[in-house]
Amino acid sequence: VTDEGAAVGTLPVNPDFGEEMTVQYFTARADFDAPYVQTFPTKTRGRRRWKCRHAALTSADAATIKTFLDSHAGPLYPFNFTAFDGATYLVRYVEGSFGFTQLAPAVHGQAEYTLIEAITD
């Protein structure tokens, strides 16, 4: 297993190509006495979410990523993330989303975790 390289942004190890990005739009519902429901946006833009993956990691790299993500868990500790489109976003780690499978001694495979954009406006 070779290292995936130095980080772009502040992640300690770059994720593999194929990170998945989705956008979530927040809406509110208003139920009326008449039989209909109105929905309207609660935010001015959607919130991006990335699922980052690593095909294979050494146990040292997996520990480094886990330590970094745990130190940035929760809304108070956002960090900069450079996505595959080249743009840098302020993101938060979705706590508890880091997981992997053991491929061999000291080799972790299919490691993935989720980052969510921290919207400040």
Side-chain angles (χ1 to χ4, degrees), residues 69-103:
L69 293 175
D70 285 345
S71 69
H72 289 86
L76 297 178
Y77 306 106
F79 60 95
N80 289 321
F81 170 66
T82 303
F84 56 86
D85 60 1
T88 301
Y89 300 94
L90 187 65
V91 299
R92 295 183 294 115
Y93 164 61
V94 176
E95 198 167 355
S97 68
F98 183 76
F100 60 87
T101 58
Q102 189 78 27
L103 296 178

Side-chain angles (χ1 to χ4, degrees), residues 6 19 30 33 40 44 62 69-70 94 111:
E19 62 193 70
D33 291 336
F40 50 92
T44 58
L69 293 175
D70 285 345
V94 176

Side-chain angles (χ1 to χ4, degrees), residues 49-65:
R49 178 183 295 254
W50 293 268
K51 182 168 277 199
C52 300
R53 295 183 176 96
H54 300 269
L57 291 169
T58 64
S59 58
D61 282 345
T64 300
I65 293 170

Side-chain angles (χ1 to χ4, degrees), residues 2-20:
T2 58
D3 194 348
E4 294 181 79
V8 175
T10 56
L11 277 176
V13 179
N14 282 339
D16 287 344
F17 289 110
E19 62 193 70
E20 178 183 319

Side-chain angles (χ1 to χ4, degrees), residues 28-49:
R29 292 174 48 111
D31 296 323
F32 290 89
D33 291 336
Y36 65 90
V37 175
Q38 180 180 5
T39 60
F40 50 92
T42 59
K43 302 285 184 197
T44 58
R45 63 186 174 99
R47 176 176 282 172
R48 293 171 185 87
R49 178 183 295 254

